[in-house]
Amino acid sequence: MPNVLVVGSINMDLIVRCERLPTEGETAHGDDLVTAAGGKGANQAVASSRLGAQTHMVGRLGEDEFGTRLRAGLEENNVNTQAVLTDPDASTGVALILLEASGQNRIVIMSGANARVGTQDVATAKEQLPEVDVVLLQLEIPISTVAQVAAAAREAQVRSVLDAGAATREAIDAGLPALMDVISPNETEAQALTGVEVTGLASAAEAARRLREMGARDVVVKLGSEGAYWSGEAGEDHVPAFAIDPVDTTAAGDAFTACLAIDIASGEEMLAALRRANGAGALACLKLGAQPSMPTRGELESFLAGHT
Ligand code: RIB
């Protein structure tokens, strides 16, 4: 199994479940408030570890109760947290998540310590690169940090995979597509990066084409219940999703990207890797919360075996 380095965000997710999301100006009643460990970086680290990879994380927590709980959760999941700093000058990142009965969500993040992942953390990541097979990045820490880690990975000939959430045009201005081996946005992220409104396969293909023109080697557009569209040097294809009844779609993309990164680093062929990543994403939709829903290798293998 590959060694994985995740450089990214760690959040406490505050989840309010409601029958339906309120419209503008409307006040709605929620059913309950649940806290669960989250943050795209930490979710992908937990997914990577549960799927069997040696996983190290670089990131920052605040010196507060959420930070203590989140570090303990990562360690319980065998994620190496030696390079996760406790920053005395910031609070731990928080995500406010409105979760509707359909399983769909709306998320607002308050970055806190994640916004301070910078020069010192880049240096720590660089020290780890000689031992690493793949670096997993997202866009919930400063873009300049992501770009520096990706450039260092390329120089060290280590694969890099970018989950493009939460995407802004700043990622394009920083030249991220050309620094990545794989870039994987969802529909809204693909639109934020390329300006193409992604509503189906044709528009996903157009967004992927534009990202490849910007230098991305492989582009994987996550399409939710439609699966994933891939375009790369070796070809292009659509891999349909598994049919499920979602409880909570939060972090399905994180499970997908972590699984994809591990399988690519293990030498798996792209279409097979995408099918497995769709399986990991589907399993993540079946439980409430981000990190609590990340599948283990055993769960993934038995799911895939039951869906031939
Ligand atoms: O991808 C899901 C994650 O996005 C949540 O866990 C939340 O923390 C936000 O970062």
Side-chain angles (χ1 to χ4, degrees), residues 10-11 60-62 64 87 89-94 109-117 140-142:
I10 314 169
N11 292 332
R60 290 195 185 216
L61 293 162
D64 48 31
D87 190 327
D89 298 319
S91 54
T92 296
V94 169
I109 53 173
M110 195 289 295
S111 297
N114 296 310
R116 294 164 57 88
V117 180
E140 290 184 340
I141 59 172

Side-chain angles (χ1 to χ4, degrees), residues 36-197:
K40 293 188 198 308
N43 297 343
Q44 290 172 31
V46 167
S48 164
S49 180
R50 287 192 186 162
L51 290 169
Q54 291 284 334
T55 308
H56 292 246
M57 172 132 203
V58 172
R60 290 195 185 216
L61 293 162
E63 204 171 50
D64 48 31
E65 194 203 325
F66 283 168
T68 304
R69 281 169 56 187
L70 289 165
R71 181 183 293 278
L74 287 167
E75 287 170 359
E76 275 162 27
N77 282 288
N78 297 317
V79 175
N80 187 312
T81 62
Q82 275 172 10
V84 174
L85 293 183
T86 297
D87 190 327
D89 298 319
S91 54
T92 296
V94 169
L96 300 178
I97 301 181
L98 286 180
L99 177 63
E100 136 178 293
S102 68
Q104 300 303 319
N105 61 31
R106 298 276 189 284
I107 303 178
V108 178
I109 53 173
M110 195 289 295
S111 297
N114 296 310
R116 294 164 57 88
V117 180
T119 313
Q120 187 184 343
D121 311 278
V122 172
T124 308
K126 280 183 181 172
E127 280 167 20
Q128 300 201 12
L129 285 175
E131 313 298 327
V132 163
D133 298 300
V134 59
V135 178
L136 252 173
L137 295 155
Q138 314 78 31
L139 299 175
E140 290 184 340
I141 59 172
I143 303 275
S144 58
T145 303
V146 176
Q148 287 174 62
V149 174
R154 174 112 340 145
E155 200 182 319
Q157 299 188 336
V158 173
R159 278 187 193 82
S160 59
V161 175
L162 177 70
D163 180 304
T168 63
R169 282 292 301 184
E170 209 194 322
I172 301 299
D173 299 340
L176 285 188
L179 289 171
M180 297 296 164
D181 290 293
V182 180
I183 177 166
S184 182
N186 66 17
E187 300 100 318
T188 52
E189 292 154 4
Q191 181 172 357
L193 294 174
T194 66
V196 176
E197 187 183 359

